[in-house]
Amino acid sequence: LGADEAIGPAAALRAYLTAPGAPGGAPRRVRTGAPADLVLLHTPLREALAELASGNVREVWTG
């Protein structure tokens, strides 16, 4: 990809939060009983997106 084809971290995250069959749609929500992958950060999301680093991640749960 060229620099003019790239998207920023916030836009990439938004793309992952929508339903796979409805890209660009409303973000999915965590609800009781639904499978989910979750990430707990050491820093506020805005700071983590401004400086992408694995050290910002406190814990990850999958499934």
Side-chain angles (χ1 to χ4, degrees), residues 1-37:
L1 293 175
D4 59 332
E5 298 173 296
I7 60 173
L13 179 60
R14 280 191 303 275
Y16 276 104
L17 295 177
T18 62
R28 294 175 284 172
R29 300 286 182 199
V30 176
R31 39 182 220 282
T32 303
D37 298 334

Side-chain angles (χ1 to χ4, degrees), residues 12-62:
L13 179 60
R14 280 191 303 275
Y16 276 104
L17 295 177
T18 62
R28 294 175 284 172
R29 300 286 182 199
V30 176
R31 39 182 220 282
T32 303
D37 298 334
L38 300 173
V39 176
L40 178 64
L41 300 171
H42 283 288
T43 61
L45 179 58
R46 181 178 301 210
E47 291 177 27
L49 291 174
E51 185 177 333
L52 300 178
S54 61
N56 290 334
V57 177
R58 180 178 299 227
E59 195 159 349
V60 176
W61 295 276
T62 58

